[in-house]
Amino acid sequence: MESVAITIENRDILLTNPNKVLWPEVGVTKLDYIRYLTSVSPYLLRYTHDRLLMMWRFPDGVSSERIVAKAVPSHAPDWVPTAFYKDKHFILLNDLPTLVWVANYAAIELHVPFTLFHQPAYPTDVAFDLDPSVPDRFELVLEVALQLHDVLDTLGLQNYAKTSGATGLQVFVPVQPRYTFEQTRQITRFIAQYLQQKMPDKVTLERSVKKRGSKLYVDYLQLWKMRTLSAAYSVRATPCASVSTPVTWAEVVHGFEPTDFTVFNVMGRIEQRGDLFSAISSQTPRDSLDSILDFINRNI
């Protein structure tokens, strides 16, 4: 089957090569991928809505060359929602037809910035990306994540974790979208430096991979203008088709591996446990950073 025409929410889409295997090690085809995205779309779209989409495309499967795509391709249907930023038009991944069209375009990984397109100067979340420097050290990621969780709890900040879908863990704090990136950087740097001082043998703030050794990198710099992270429930270009998956802090305590969450089981997990990241997509309540910024500005 070379192609098949489908209609979703009154939008016509021509699926090309639906039986093409995109994840060869686990046999996931493009059609399997689209079925997964369709099932999780009520949840995934919460985290991409009104955000400028960056796509990691793998037209020949995840073992092939990656193509990073930002601008809307010229052949995109006119019903695909877009927004202009600086020098190009970006896709807004706001609805199911667009999600299926993007999947057919072989966009395997879906990455979004920390801002809504109409408020590009004010992030909706504070985020930390915990990135292991060497493979098979995810237990260190979990250990540092729990320390970060304790710090954020002490500061009175809501905090929610999700796997990156690859090797790391990301911790988000939903904040009132009235702080600049410079202000949120003050907070992420302050907390990251505290973690490094508390765990000097395990945590590094060194951005250069070659200089990190085996320490865990607490990436507080990723939270910046038009930098991105994988959206919750986005699939990653890993051999097992792992998914960026929200987790509870009890699960972090108990332990798991990022490969535990894949296209084969994430929808069932949502059906059983709900969307564990829902506070991040909610409008209220979102945290104020005023008192923490005031403390930093007076004491640092």
Side-chain angles (χ1 to χ4, degrees):
M1 183 167 49
E2 292 298 322
S3 62
V4 59
I6 63 172
T7 300
I8 298 178
E9 297 178 359
N10 297 316
R11 303 300 191 187
D12 296 327
I13 304 171
L14 184 66
L15 299 184
T16 56
N17 301 311
N19 294 323
K20 187 168 191 174
V21 177
L22 297 180
W23 282 268
E25 290 198 18
V26 288
V28 174
T29 65
K30 181 188 282 189
L31 187 58
D32 295 328
Y33 175 48
I34 290 171
R35 285 171 173 159
Y36 163 77
L37 289 179
T38 301
S39 69
V40 301
S41 61
Y43 311 99
L44 185 153
L45 292 173
R46 298 174 180 176
Y47 306 103
T48 60
H49 194 272
D50 279 356
R51 297 180 191 266
L52 305 177
L53 180 66
M54 185 178 75
M55 300 170 283
W56 288 12
R57 299 183 59 238
F58 295 83
D60 295 315
V62 299
S63 56
S64 66
E65 181 182 358
R66 180 186 74 181
I67 301 171
V68 177
K70 298 181 181 179
V72 180
S74 59
H75 65 280
D78 58 10
W79 46 259
V80 169
T82 65
F84 188 78
Y85 179 77
K86 290 194 174 178
D87 59 346
K88 59 177 66 72
H89 286 90
F90 288 76
I91 289 175
L92 297 176
L93 191 46
N94 287 357
D95 54 60
L96 179 57
T98 302
L99 180 60
V100 172
W101 186 88
V102 161
N104 186 59
Y105 186 50
I108 299 299
E109 298 197 10
L110 309 173
H111 296 249
V112 289
F114 301 95
T115 56
L116 303 174
F117 81 92
H118 50 80
Q119 287 184 300
Y122 301 98
T124 56
D125 309 282
V126 165
F128 300 85
D129 190 12
L130 307 182
D131 186 12
S133 303
V134 295
D136 303 321
R137 290 296 306 275
F138 197 70
E139 73 281 353
L140 178 59
V141 177
L142 298 174
E143 180 183 355
V144 175
L146 288 172
Q147 290 292 329
L148 175 58
H149 173 55
D150 287 344
V151 172
L152 295 171
D153 275 357
T154 300
L155 293 173
L157 297 175
Q158 306 172 71
N159 53 98
Y160 303 90
K162 73 178 182 73
T163 66
S164 69
T167 60
L169 196 74
Q170 297 155 356
V171 179
F172 278 63
V173 176
V175 299
Q176 298 169 13
R178 58 185 177 89
Y179 301 99
T180 65
F181 279 100
E182 289 76 13
Q183 289 175 306
T184 56
R185 173 66 58 83
Q186 285 182 273
I187 290 174
T188 57
R189 180 173 53 231
F190 171 70
I191 293 173
Q193 288 174 341
Y194 172 80
L195 287 174
Q196 183 188 37
Q197 292 167 6
K198 187 173 183 180
M199 309 175 74
D201 297 329
K202 297 180 178 180
V203 168
T204 180
L205 305 185
E206 176 56 61
R207 200 157 178 83
S208 171
V209 176
K210 294 180 180 179
K211 297 179 181 179
R212 295 179 195 168
S214 61
K215 297 179 182 179
L216 178 122
Y217 175 48
V218 177
D219 188 352
Y220 69 90
L221 299 172
Q222 191 64 17
L223 177 61
W224 198 248
K225 305 162 189 173
M226 283 307 291
R227 292 181 182 169
T228 64
L229 291 175
S230 56
Y233 305 112
S234 171
V235 191
R236 303 301 302 269
T238 59
C240 67
S242 53
V243 172
S244 180
T245 305
V247 293
T248 67
W249 287 111
E251 288 177 308
V252 176
V253 171
H254 184 265
F256 57 84
E257 292 291 330
T259 52
D260 291 344
F261 311 110
T262 71
V263 294
F264 301 107
N265 60 21
V266 163
M267 188 60 230
R269 174 181 169 85
I270 295 172
E271 290 172 346
Q272 291 179 352
R273 313 198 65 170
D275 178 12
L276 299 176
F277 224 47
S278 59
I280 299 301
S281 63
S282 174
Q283 295 303 307
T284 56
R286 305 188 75 83
D287 288 338
S288 168
L289 302 176
D290 290 351
S291 61
I292 303 171
L293 285 169
D294 182 60
F295 173 83
I296 292 172
N297 290 330
R298 284 189 291 105
N299 294 279
I300 306 300

